[in-house]
């Protein structure tokens, strides 16, 4: 019971600290917002699940280390073991709880935190716009389609149009260009699945790559293999995608010819990162058993050290994996394996 009380209390305290920081950090948007303030409140509300995910592991480790450390400092742990109960049997309920928390965090992240975080980012966009900040930036973007290559400028979601420039190169099966289209604007009709291009220049090539025909049109209708939503989100942040969306994004990037290694790394992280909940529980139980006095101070110091080291190793491996330095599965799983191995080594050294 003491463990659960400590865990819930620590979880609420850390979440509240992050919440206060988030509100303070975005105070300028609360003050300057000329639109409905509901967007600011919704942004904070939808951010809470992600905050909870961030503090679960530190809260678990501190709670386990503190409670087991108190038993050790008060010699209660020794008394129980002298009575014939092994250390492993004593901490088994805590380890089982840590394992269940691994499963819980994985599912909670996929089905609650990620969808909620998407809504938070949508409301953040409205909040920033209401404060007079520009979020819809003009971008230049080239991408591979099914039959050719596109080079476009600004995608206007509301108008279902490409503005500022639309260029397309149709490529034959042999890899040679058949024709090039250049237009000032491209409007897409969802009903007719066709594109209306404005201020069009069209160049057709011969098999020897000579200019076969050059024409200009004020407007012309084209049928391209890709619809307007093909350009809406060139790449999506892997951290904002669940396991199934990551698979869809991998296929999408493959079709566009965009690197997708970071998505493969993130698919491994879907299960590897929540495993930290179980690892810190195991290490916390072992570290707590070695505490002889001042369980609170020792638990806080150990928690900070272990969590910080874990994130450093994990972030380093993830970055190397995304850059292609090591295989994706090695990049993500070596940190949990390293810390589990360290916990096992510490357990064998304790000889309990």
């Amino acid at each position: 019971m003491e463990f659960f009380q400590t865990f819930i209390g620590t979880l609420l305290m850390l979440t509240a600290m992050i919440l206060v920081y988030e509100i303070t950090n975005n105070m300028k948007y609360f003050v300057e917002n000329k639109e409905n303030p509901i967007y600011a409140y919704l942004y904070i509300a939808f951010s809470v699940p992600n905050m909870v995910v961030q503090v679960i592991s530190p809260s678990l480790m501190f709670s386990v280390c503190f409670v087991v450390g108190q038993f050790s400092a008060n010699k209660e742990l020794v008394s129980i073991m002298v009575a014939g109960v092994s250390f492993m049997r004593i901490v088994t309920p805590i380890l089982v709880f840590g394992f269940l928390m691994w499963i819980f965090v994985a599912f909670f992240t996929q089905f609650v935190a990620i969808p909620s975080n998407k809504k938070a980012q949508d409301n953040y966009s409205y909040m920033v716009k209401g404060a007079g900040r520009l979020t819809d930036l003009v971008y230049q973007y080239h991408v591979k389609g099914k039959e050719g290559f596109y080079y476009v400028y600004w995608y206007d979601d509301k108008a279902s149009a490409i503005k500022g420039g639309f260029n397309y190169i149709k490529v034959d099966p042999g890899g040679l260009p058949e024709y090039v289209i250049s237009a000032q604007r491209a409007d897409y009709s969802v009903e007719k699945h066709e594109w209306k291009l404005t201020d069009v220049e069209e160049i057709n090539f011969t098999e020897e790559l000579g200019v076969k025909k050059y024409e200009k049109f004020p407007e012309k209708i084209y049928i391209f293999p890709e619809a307007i939503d093909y350009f809406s989100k060139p790449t999506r942040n892997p951290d904002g995608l669940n396991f199934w969306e990551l698979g869809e994004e991998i296929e999408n990037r493959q079709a566009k010819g965009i690197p997708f290694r970071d998505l493969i790394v993130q698919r491994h992280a879907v299960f590897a990162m929540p495993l930290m909940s179980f690892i810190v529980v195991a290490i916390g139980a072992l570290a707590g058993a070695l505490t002889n006095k001042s369980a609170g101070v020792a638990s806080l110091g150990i928690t900070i050290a272990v969590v910080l080291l874990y994130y450093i190793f994990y972030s380093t491996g993830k970055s190397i994996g995304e850059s292609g330095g090591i295989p994706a599965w090695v990049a993500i799983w070596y940190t949990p394996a390293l810390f589990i191995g360290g916990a096992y080594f510490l357990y064998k050294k304790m000889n309990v």
Side-chain angles (χ1 to χ4, degrees):
M1 183 61 69
E2 184 180 0
F3 164 71
F4 289 107
Q5 291 176 343
T6 305
F7 170 62
I8 297 300
T10 307
L11 183 70
L12 292 176
M13 182 185 68
L14 293 179
T15 303
M17 291 173 62
I18 297 179
L19 185 61
V20 170
Y21 168 79
E22 195 68 35
I23 294 173
T24 305
N25 191 48
N26 293 282
M27 185 60 68
K28 58 181 179 291
Y29 298 126
F30 285 87
V31 175
E32 300 173 12
N33 206 311
K34 298 178 178 61
E35 301 294 334
N36 192 333
I38 189 65
Y39 296 124
Y41 301 132
L42 288 175
Y43 164 67
I44 295 298
F46 284 122
S47 298
V48 171
N50 192 51
M51 298 177 191
V52 173
V53 170
Q54 294 178 40
V55 301
I56 282 179
S57 293
S59 301
L60 278 172
M61 176 149 193
F62 175 79
S63 304
V64 172
C65 194
F66 177 73
V67 172
V68 177
Q70 278 191 319
F71 275 90
S72 178
N74 296 331
K75 307 302 180 183
E76 297 175 74
L77 192 62
V78 176
S79 301
I80 297 174
M81 294 174 66
V82 169
V85 181
S86 68
F87 175 77
M88 184 56 66
R89 183 177 177 183
I90 295 172
V91 299
T92 292
I94 296 178
L95 295 178
V96 171
F97 179 74
F99 179 82
L100 293 177
M101 285 301 299
W102 170 26
I103 306 300
F104 170 78
V105 172
F107 277 85
F108 184 82
T109 301
Q110 294 297 298
F111 297 105
V112 179
I114 289 178
S116 182
N117 195 47
K118 290 178 183 177
K119 294 180 180 178
Q121 292 306 311
D122 290 340
N123 283 281
Y124 180 81
S125 178
Y126 289 124
M127 180 179 70
V128 173
K129 288 179 182 178
R133 304 302 199 274
L134 183 63
T135 57
D136 296 329
L137 299 178
V138 175
Y139 66 86
Q140 298 181 12
Y141 172 51
H142 62 275
V143 62
K144 179 180 180 294
K146 292 181 180 179
E147 299 177 356
F149 296 86
Y150 296 90
Y151 188 89
V152 301
Y153 284 75
W154 179 27
Y155 168 74
D156 189 335
D157 185 27
K158 294 182 179 179
S160 293
I162 303 294
K163 299 179 180 179
F166 180 94
N167 304 277
Y168 179 67
I169 302 176
K170 173 67 168 61
V171 180
D172 65 21
L176 298 177
E178 291 185 9
Y179 59 83
V180 174
I181 298 171
S182 177
Q184 187 64 29
R185 177 185 174 114
D187 293 88
Y188 183 72
S189 172
V190 178
E191 295 78 15
K192 298 180 181 179
H193 304 288
E194 63 184 22
W195 292 84
K196 183 176 74 172
L197 273 56
T198 306
D199 294 333
V200 185
E201 294 184 7
E202 182 178 312
I203 303 175
N204 289 269
F205 298 98
T206 64
E207 294 182 358
E208 293 75 26
L209 298 183
V211 177
K212 180 179 180 180
K213 183 170 58 175
Y214 171 79
E215 295 180 286
K216 298 181 68 175
F217 308 95
E219 288 185 355
K220 187 175 180 180
I221 302 297
Y222 290 89
I223 305 295
F224 296 119
E226 285 72 31
I228 187 69
D229 57 2
Y230 195 71
F231 308 98
S232 60
K233 294 180 179 178
T235 60
R236 292 187 288 175
N237 187 349
D239 293 332
L241 304 175
N242 62 36
F243 183 80
W244 298 273
E245 290 171 334
L246 285 168
E248 295 173 359
E249 183 67 7
I250 289 174
E251 295 179 0
N252 188 34
R253 289 195 189 182
Q254 284 179 320
K256 294 181 179 181
I258 300 175
F260 54 89
R261 187 174 184 83
D262 57 333
L263 300 176
I264 298 176
V265 171
Q266 186 61 28
R267 288 198 101 185
H268 285 279
V270 166
F271 300 103
M273 192 57 193
L275 180 59
M276 182 181 179
S277 300
F278 173 74
I279 293 173
V280 295
V281 165
I283 295 177
L286 294 170
L290 296 174
T291 302
N292 295 320
K293 54 185 177 179
S294 188
V297 176
S299 300
L300 181 60
I302 293 171
T303 299
I304 293 174
V306 171
V307 171
L308 185 60
L309 280 174
Y310 195 97
Y311 278 121
I312 290 174
F313 278 95
Y314 177 81
S315 300
T316 302
K318 187 177 181 182
S319 298
I320 297 174
E322 289 175 345
S323 64
I326 55 178
W329 66 272
V330 175
I332 293 300
W333 289 101
Y334 96 96
T335 301
L338 180 66
F339 276 76
I340 289 175
Y344 180 75
F345 176 78
L346 181 60
Y347 171 70
K348 298 301 286 186
K349 277 289 186 181
M350 288 174 60
N351 194 28
V352 291

